[in-house]
Amino acid sequence: MTDPTYHYDVLIVGTGNAACCAAHSAIEKGAKIGMLEKASKANRGGNSALTGHMRFVFNGTEDVRPLVRNMADDELHALLEHMPHRTEAEHWDEVMQVTNNQSDQDMLQVHVTESLKTVQWLASKGHDWVPAGGFKMPSDNILLMNGGGYGLQQRNFALLERAGVAFHYDTAATELIQDQKGCVTGARALTPNGFATFTAKSVVLACGSFESNPEMRARYLGAGWDTVRIRGVPFNTGDGLRMAMHIGAMPHGSWTTCHASPQDIDLPPFKIPVAYSTKASYARYMYPYSIMVNTNGERFVDEAYDLRGRTYAAMGRAILAQPGGIAYQILDAKARKMDIYPTNYDGATRAQADTLEKLGAELEINVPNFIKTVREFNAAIQPGQFNPDRHKLDGKRTAGIYPPKSNYCLSIEEPPFEAFPVRCGMTFTYGGLKIDPTTGQTQHVAGWPIPGLYAAGEMAGGLWVDNYASGSGMMAGATFGRIAGTHAAIAALQP
Ligand SMILES: Cc1cc2nc3c(=O)[nH]c(=O)nc-3n(C[C@H](O)[C@H](O)[C@H](O)COP(=O)(O)OP(=O)(O)OC[C@H]3O[C@@H](n4cnc5c(N)ncnc54)[C@H](O)[C@@H]3O)c2cc1C
């Protein structure tokens, strides 16, 4: 028996943000689109549906105005007081800073220079943004997508359904199909009714990275990563990377590092997209104002060597390296009095005690070491004004201890003392495929472009190495998805 066959101009694998952007831009060119999604319709949307914000270039209110609705000028000006601009040069520098100058320059050039154009293009499709809130919000950008990533994705699905895109849910792509010349002409996929063949003139792979695959995590990231908990959906198991590399696609970027951040000790093994307003948040991003200690009662990292949005994706790795992969964020009563806790700490796993001895005992950590660590930390704090502004470092630092704490030092001396146990939560992996950043076309290991094959989102490697700047994954997915969709459609529709 032969597989049932479906035919499209452009076949897109995945329904995350990158895939949806590819679909929008391919539709603009007049292509007939099919989209394959491994998850059910109820669980569609990928990690993109769990997000909040995008990091993009803007030069002032005139750039942000098209993104927000019903916002008076004075409100908009007040919002931009926190962060008046992120110029192309500033954005380039922050990515190069977090990646130690290892970001692929050709990718980054497109990522930086196309970001504003891309968010304004999304706004033209019907998306909008709202203020991200003050420092109590776990965001490092001034705007959130309206309804978060879930809202963005719901709007995307409504728009694409209306435009006639054919969605195939519960359908996992398993292999790419090539013609005799090596041109990619579709994909085979497992559907609820068995295998089916989806032929197309171009294929866009946008089915995420390999963070949900323990075998690949162990293989590429090393010991300890196989058993780590995942912040996102269980569906991103590296299928697209495997399928593409099987036909000779070039791996690119950092395959040994990933995005992993401090999460509540009770982080569940996976998450499924739910409305942003009802989403339980396990992110524990209060650490720049705390000290983090391990079960030996010792600090192990500079908790505030940079702004939170530029350190959090590397903090998970530091926590995973501790005994048992556990750490504790320690704060005293001053933090509560200053009301600087992000709102999502209301549901945090926590311990509280009137003395450090009792707190250490309750946490079952090395109490003498813990007391010594806190005393030495308090004594090392230098004069200066503590300021929890998440867009500016305050320079309130320690001297003479290792590791240092470079900003946001608050002494730990006023009871009650609080501790928040945290673990490493993995978000996504950085390793991907080599694409031509101007077209999204994947490259063969032999150096030539693979005809008919495009990739976007987490599948496109090269931008992130070691670390990452918050809000960049959605931005890169949108930009490179838009580019891949455009060029996949142009190639598909050429006579
Ligand atoms: C909790 C959380 C919060 C985050 N917050 C932010 C944020 O605020 N800002 C930001 O920029 N980034 C954030 N990120 C990172 C962000 O989610 C990713 O950078 C982005 O979603 C990647 O988009 P994508 O389209 O490449 O992948 P995804 O959105 O993950 O989409 C991949 C899709 O492919 C599907 N798929 C997988 N395999 C197959 C297959 N074989 N066949 C068919 N379909 C398949 C999956 O089911 C999924 O729907 C966050 C991530 C998490 C987990």
Side-chain angles (χ1 to χ4, degrees):
M1 206 176 101
T2 52
D3 293 352
T5 301
Y6 302 85
H7 182 74
Y8 301 105
D9 295 323
V10 178
L11 180 71
I12 300 174
V13 183
T15 64
N17 166 58
C20 291
C21 288
H24 285 309
S25 61
I27 287 167
E28 286 175 352
K29 297 285 171 205
K32 185 179 164 206
I33 318 279
M35 295 179 80
L36 309 186
E37 172 53 60
K38 188 196 268 187
S40 63
K41 185 173 181 184
N43 294 336
R44 66 185 175 177
N47 282 346
S48 302
L50 298 165
T51 65
H53 56 120
M54 291 187 189
R55 177 177 291 251
F56 53 87
V57 164
F58 60 98
N59 296 293
T61 47
E62 66 287 358
D63 287 341
V64 176
R65 167 57 70 202
L67 309 180
V68 293
R69 286 193 198 136
N70 308 321
M71 211 171 170
D73 278 347
D74 51 344
E75 268 182 279
L76 194 54
H77 285 296
L79 181 66
L80 266 77
E81 265 171 32
H82 298 289
M83 198 180 184
H85 46 74
R86 174 181 282 123
T87 64
E88 288 187 357
E90 286 166 343
H91 193 21
W92 175 279
D93 285 349
E94 60 188 356
V95 175
M96 280 305 190
Q97 188 182 327
V98 295
T99 61
N100 248 324
N101 291 315
Q102 296 179 88
S103 182
D104 175 319
Q105 297 200 9
D106 297 331
M107 291 283 290
L108 184 57
Q109 176 71 20
V110 175
H111 176 68
V112 166
T113 56
E114 291 292 316
S115 65
L116 178 61
K117 232 179 279 170
T118 302
V119 286
Q120 293 184 345
W121 172 78
L122 283 170
S124 77
K125 302 276 168 220
H127 293 293
D128 68 318
W129 276 256
V130 295
F135 59 77
K136 290 170 75 75
M137 293 298 290
S139 161
D140 188 40
N141 289 300
I142 54 168
L143 293 175
L144 286 177
M145 281 96 72
N146 193 357
Y150 188 81
L152 177 101
Q153 286 294 82
Q154 292 306 304
R155 287 188 295 276
N156 273 334
F157 292 124
L159 290 165
L160 295 174
E161 280 163 4
R162 220 175 301 141
V165 169
F167 285 94
H168 299 265
Y169 296 108
D170 298 302
T171 296
T174 54
E175 64 187 292
L176 293 168
I177 302 166
Q178 287 174 289
D179 68 12
Q180 199 273 332
K181 289 184 179 154
C183 182
V184 173
T185 55
R188 201 160 179 242
L190 191 55
T191 79
N193 303 315
F195 281 103
T197 298
F198 297 83
T199 63
K201 293 175 192 139
S202 317
V203 173
V204 179
L205 292 174
C207 48
S209 54
F210 62 85
E211 72 273 1
S212 300
N213 182 331
E215 188 273 340
M216 285 182 85
R217 291 200 303 266
R219 183 148 36 117
Y220 295 110
L221 301 169
W225 289 100
D226 43 357
T227 53
V228 84
R229 294 196 195 173
I230 305 303
R231 299 178 58 211
V233 294
F235 314 113
N236 293 346
T237 48
D239 307 353
L241 296 169
R242 181 184 48 72
M243 288 186 275
M245 292 192 298
H246 184 69
I247 65 158
M250 178 78 165
H252 188 50
S254 171
W255 281 69
T256 53
T257 60
C258 66
H259 183 306
S261 62
Q263 298 289 312
D264 196 287
I265 195 80
D266 289 333
L267 177 74
F270 293 105
K271 277 196 219 139
I272 293 297
V274 288
Y276 193 66
S277 55
T278 61
K279 187 176 89 158
S281 173
Y282 295 87
R284 297 293 171 253
Y285 297 163
M286 183 73 178
Y287 63 87
Y289 313 137
S290 77
I291 60 166
M292 282 199 285
V293 298
N294 59 21
T295 52
N296 294 333
E298 289 161 347
R299 288 179 60 243
F300 53 91
V301 71
D302 182 341
E303 296 87 347
Y305 62 90
D306 198 350
L307 296 173
R308 181 183 59 194
R310 303 199 296 228
T311 60
Y312 78 117
M315 284 291 163
R317 193 178 335 147
I319 294 168
L320 186 65
Q322 302 315 303
I326 297 172
Y328 302 89
Q329 297 172 357
I330 310 289
L331 293 122
D332 80 355
K334 287 194 291 301
R336 286 285 173 195
K337 284 188 191 153
M338 285 188 245
D339 198 21
I340 56 175
Y341 277 86
T343 43
N344 72 345
Y345 268 65
D346 294 350
T349 308
R350 62 188 277 277
Q352 181 176 319
D354 287 337
T355 65
L356 289 169
E357 287 78 359
K358 281 189 200 155
L359 187 68
E362 191 174 335
L363 300 177
E364 297 182 4
I365 64 177
N366 184 317
V367 176
N369 280 355
F370 176 50
I371 307 287
K372 183 166 171 275
T373 298
V374 172
R375 279 206 191 115
E376 286 175 356
F377 169 72
N378 287 344
I381 298 175
Q382 300 301 295
Q385 184 61 43
F386 170 82
N387 179 358
D389 188 333
R390 67 187 156 89
H391 301 299
K392 281 189 209 95
L393 297 171
D394 69 356
K396 178 84 177 155
R397 63 183 181 88
T398 60
I401 55 168
Y402 187 84
K405 185 172 182 205
S406 302
N407 290 282
Y408 307 124
C409 284
L410 269 182
S411 64
I412 297 166
E413 50 195 349
E414 190 182 330
F417 303 99
E418 283 188 281
F420 298 89
V422 289
R423 64 168 66 244
C424 168
M426 172 136 173
T427 322
F428 62 87
T429 48
Y430 295 152
L433 303 178
K434 175 128 182 91
I435 62 162
D436 174 342
T438 62
T439 62
Q441 193 168 2
T442 58
Q443 306 295 291
H444 193 273
V445 283
W448 58 67
I450 300 179
L453 189 63
Y454 298 78
E458 299 312 347
M459 288 202 57
L463 276 175
W464 320 121
V465 183
D466 285 343
N467 195 10
Y468 160 99
S470 68
S472 301
M474 291 296 283
M475 192 64 257
T479 293
F480 291 105
R482 174 172 67 89
I483 291 171
T486 302
H487 289 273
I490 292 171
L493 297 175
Q494 73 190 0

